[in-house]
Amino acid sequence: MNIWAFVVKYEGNFDVSTHLTKKGALLVAVRDILEYLGVYEGYFRDEEHEASEPPWKDEQLAEMSSKQLSTVYQKWSEKTWDHFNYESEVIRTTVQG
């Protein structure tokens, strides 16, 4: 059975969550990055800055397809590339019986 995993390494510690759908894993991944970056606590300088960034509001993300969420995840993830204490990935794997 195929499942999706969100893997994150933060300050040397690993965490993994598993999901039955790619969309579920991507939603958790985007929210984790948003929390890490502080988006929920005043990340944006002003409305113009917010408008120039990828979607971040839960209601917007929940309405997106997996393909759209993949793009949003990639864009937010790019903002962490020079942060050496945070890395994340969404991967497909299988349950072994």
Side-chain angles (χ1 to χ4, degrees):
M1 175 175 147
N2 289 331
I3 61 170
W4 293 88
F6 168 59
V7 182
V8 63
K9 179 181 165 193
Y10 178 60
E11 294 184 349
N13 298 310
F14 287 91
D15 193 23
V16 177
S17 63
T18 56
H19 307 268
L20 295 176
T21 65
K22 183 177 183 180
K23 181 175 180 173
L26 287 165
L27 283 169
V28 169
V30 171
R31 289 177 184 139
D32 194 77
I33 291 172
L34 295 173
E35 184 176 325
Y36 167 75
L37 292 173
V39 170
Y40 299 120
E41 294 111 28
Y43 174 84
F44 305 108
R45 294 184 301 270
D46 53 36
E47 288 181 14
E48 187 176 316
H49 179 222
E50 181 178 354
S52 70
E53 295 290 349
W56 65 277
K57 294 181 180 173
D58 281 338
E59 55 274 4
Q60 290 174 301
L61 299 173
E63 294 176 0
M64 293 182 172
S65 67
S66 292
K67 186 174 183 176
Q68 292 169 314
L69 280 170
S70 290
T71 300
V72 171
Y73 169 72
Q74 289 170 353
K75 288 179 180 181
W76 280 114
S77 186
E78 286 176 12
K79 297 178 182 302
T80 69
W81 286 355
D82 61 349
H83 299 205
F84 300 104
N85 63 339
Y86 183 92
E87 297 175 54
S88 70
E89 191 70 44
V90 174
I91 58 171
R92 184 178 56 127
T93 189
T94 58
V95 174
Q96 302 295 316

